[in-house]
Structure formats: structure tokens, C-alpha cells
């Protein structure tokens, strides 16, 4: 399981405002390129984001399902990215000394990505999620007027 942690200069609530806005998903998730639809009740458990991954003209339409929503502490989703497979992504947020600490954990759970040994997948996921947390920080900190 790949884990990344980042300190952000914003409140946990600001992070969850970004997570709750499904239309912002491609703005902070590396690999997501566009939104097609957001379920009306997103991010309630069982609701879905309908997005595409890749770059034109090689776009694949996929979905992300909310599994757990406990703001401003924890969100868990099942992100689909076929043909690679599916991953369980957990975002935990806690108050820090100058804002909050955000931890993202990602684990392949289904499909070809889950068959590859972790020592091969974890370094790639770590790099991807480092950028994902940086993008999330830009959006969440920007809501509170913080400079990068």
C-alpha cells in the first residue's frame, strides 16, 4: 500500500470542501482528465463520480465510488481505472500546527494492477500521489487565500 503525507496551510474543512465538489476531481487527481457527470448526492456513500482518464484521443470513461464519507476526518473511495483495474483510496485529515496534515493511501484491489507485486507498484503510486496531494493543497489552500 502506497502512503503519502503532506502538511497543508488550511483547515481540514477546506480540504473536504474540495473533496466534496466532484467537479474538481480532475483538478487534483493525477490521471483524471475530465468529468462527465457527478451524482446528485455526491459524496454520500454509494454515490459516484463519472470521469475519464487519459489524454485525447485515448480517453477511457470510468467511475469512482464513495465508500466512506466522514468530514472533516476521512474519505474512502474505490477508484476505477480500467484496463489497469481498481484501487481503494483513503484520505485521512487531522489538524496540524499550521493547518492540517493529509495522508493518502492507495492500494490496488482488483484487475491487473492488483496482480503486480507491491514493490513495483508502490514507487509509482507514491510519485503520483505526491503530485495529487500537491494539487489538492493548491485547491484547498487557495480557498483560504494561502500562498503556495
Amino acid at each position: 500500500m502506497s502512503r503519502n503525507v503532506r502538511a497543508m496551510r488550511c483547515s481540514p474543512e477546506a480540504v473536504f470542501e474540495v473533496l466534496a465538489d466532484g467537479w474538481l476531481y480532475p483538478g487534483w487527481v493525477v490521471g483524471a482528465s475530465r468529468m462527465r457527470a457527478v451524482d446528485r448526492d455526491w459524496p454520500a456513500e454509494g454515490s459516484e463520480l463519472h470521469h475519464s482518464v487519459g489524454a485525447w484521443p485515448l480517453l477511457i470513461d470510468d467511475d469512482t465510488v464513495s465508500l466512506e464519507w466522514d468530514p472533516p476526518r476521512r474519505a474512502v473511495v474505490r477508484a476505477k481505472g480500467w484496463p489497469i483495474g481498481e484501487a481503494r483510496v483513503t484520505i485521512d485529515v487531522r489538524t496540524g500546527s499550521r493547518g492540517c496534515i493529509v495522508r493518502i493511501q492507495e492500494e490496488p484491489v482488483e484487475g491487473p494492477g492488483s496482480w503486480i507485486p507491491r514493490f513495483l507498484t508502490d514507487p509509482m503510486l507514491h510519485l503520483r500521489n505526491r503530485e495529487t496531494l500537491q494539487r489538492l493543497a493548491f485547491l484547498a489552500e487557495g480557498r483560504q487565500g494561502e500562498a503556495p
Side-chain angles (χ1 to χ4, degrees):
M1 177 183 315
S2 174
R3 290 186 181 106
N4 292 70
V5 177
R6 182 183 176 101
M8 296 186 188
R9 293 179 306 226
C10 62
S11 68
E13 291 80 10
V15 172
F16 273 81
E17 286 176 19
V18 174
L19 299 178
D21 186 343
W23 291 101
L24 291 177
Y25 191 76
W28 63 273
V29 174
V30 174
S33 55
R34 67 179 180 193
M35 291 303 300
R36 299 184 335 272
V38 175
D39 282 2
R40 187 178 292 294
D41 59 344
W42 177 263
E45 293 173 20
S47 61
E48 296 185 13
L49 297 175
H50 309 280
H51 55 85
S52 301
V53 296
W56 186 90
L58 304 173
L59 288 168
I60 298 171
D61 291 343
D62 247 318
D63 307 296
T64 293
V65 180
S66 177
L67 301 176
E68 183 180 336
W69 181 251
D70 182 24
R73 292 173 287 285
R74 182 177 174 93
V76 182
V77 299
R78 186 172 181 117
K80 300 176 184 178
W82 288 95
I84 296 169
E86 299 181 16
R88 180 181 176 92
V89 180
T90 303
I91 299 172
D92 291 302
V93 183
R94 63 180 173 82
T95 302
S97 61
R98 294 184 57 211
C100 64
I101 306 297
V102 180
R103 180 180 68 184
I104 187 169
Q105 299 179 98
E106 183 170 351
E107 179 177 19
V109 294
E110 190 173 324
S114 67
W115 308 334
I116 300 170
R118 297 294 183 258
F119 73 89
L120 294 174
T121 59
D122 281 357
M124 291 181 289
L125 290 174
H126 184 79
L127 289 173
R128 176 181 174 268
N129 287 330
R130 182 174 62 192
E131 175 65 16
T132 290
L133 284 180
Q134 180 171 328
R135 293 177 184 192
L136 181 59
F138 287 151
L139 290 169
E141 291 170 352
R143 288 177 176 267
Q144 294 193 193
E146 292 291 329

